[in-house]
Amino acid sequence: MSSTITTVPKDSTFKLPQGRFKAVIATYKVKDVDTVRGKAQNATILYEVSVPGMENYECLARKVVPVDLRNGSPMRTFLEGLLGSQYFKGKSNQPIDLQKLLVGQLCEVELIHAKHDEDRFDFPLVDVDSMYPRQPEPDQPKEADPKK
């Protein structure tokens, strides 16, 4: 007998609350863009975010930042939140594959609601303001030793 029950897949949403949440970096992509100063590259980092109470949704957030790893640049400052400032100092003048380095990384993200065309949209733009190494889980209570 065939089952009549089918599971509806999780809907994806970028409509997330502000706050700090556990996440994993899902993708890292670089795209060429035209700017007033000529051609440039922007990196898009896509996160799968764990938001309490939204377990039935695929919660997504993204960060778009110009590709520039010079000391003090927005990209480097943002990545140092996860990797630490010593990471880049140790890689001075060396190539790094950011896709290999970032995709799959567990982290925590601070989500904010950025100001944008509020009159045109029904929900604020969610931006990843910063990211950090994932904090360890608090110790679970241990079961009593049955031998005692």
Side-chain angles (χ1 to χ4, degrees):
M1 184 162 118
S2 297
S3 174
T4 59
I5 299 173
T6 303
T7 302
V8 177
K10 285 184 178 184
D11 280 340
S12 298
T13 185
F14 284 89
K15 294 181 178 182
L16 306 180
Q18 295 185 98
R20 188 166 170 164
F21 303 98
K22 293 177 183 174
V24 62
I25 299 174
T27 63
Y28 172 86
K29 294 184 180 177
V30 175
K31 181 178 177 183
D32 293 327
V33 293
D34 292 319
T35 70
V36 292
R37 295 187 180 133
K39 297 251 183 228
Q41 290 186 319
N42 279 348
T44 300
I45 305 170
L46 182 69
Y47 299 84
E48 294 175 0
V49 185
S50 297
V51 178
M54 296 184 70
E55 293 81 6
N56 291 331
Y57 294 91
E58 180 184 38
C59 298
L60 302 172
R62 71 179 188 152
K63 178 71 172 181
V64 178
V65 64
V67 175
D68 178 3
L69 290 176
R70 286 179 289 183
N71 194 17
S73 69
M75 180 181 207
R76 182 162 166 172
T77 301
F78 180 74
L79 294 175
E80 284 175 345
L82 176 66
L83 303 171
S85 60
Q86 295 305 314
Y87 178 82
F88 292 105
K89 288 180 182 174
K91 298 287 186 184
S92 182
N93 201 36
Q94 299 176 40
I96 58 173
D97 185 336
L98 288 174
Q99 185 172 21
K100 280 186 180 177
L101 178 67
L102 296 175
V103 173
Q105 275 276 12
L106 301 177
C107 59
E108 291 186 10
V109 293
E110 185 76 34
L111 302 181
I112 61 167
H113 289 170
K115 297 283 184 206
H116 74 303
D117 301 324
E118 288 87 4
D119 54 327
R120 291 184 23 217
F121 299 98
D122 64 347
F123 194 84
L125 174 68
V126 176
D127 189 31
V128 179
D129 188 53
S130 50
M131 70 174 163
Y132 311 93
R134 185 168 294 181
Q135 297 298 311
E137 295 289 328
D139 288 337
Q140 299 294 324
K142 296 184 180 175
E143 295 180 25
D145 187 347
K147 295 178 186 173
K148 291 186 179 180

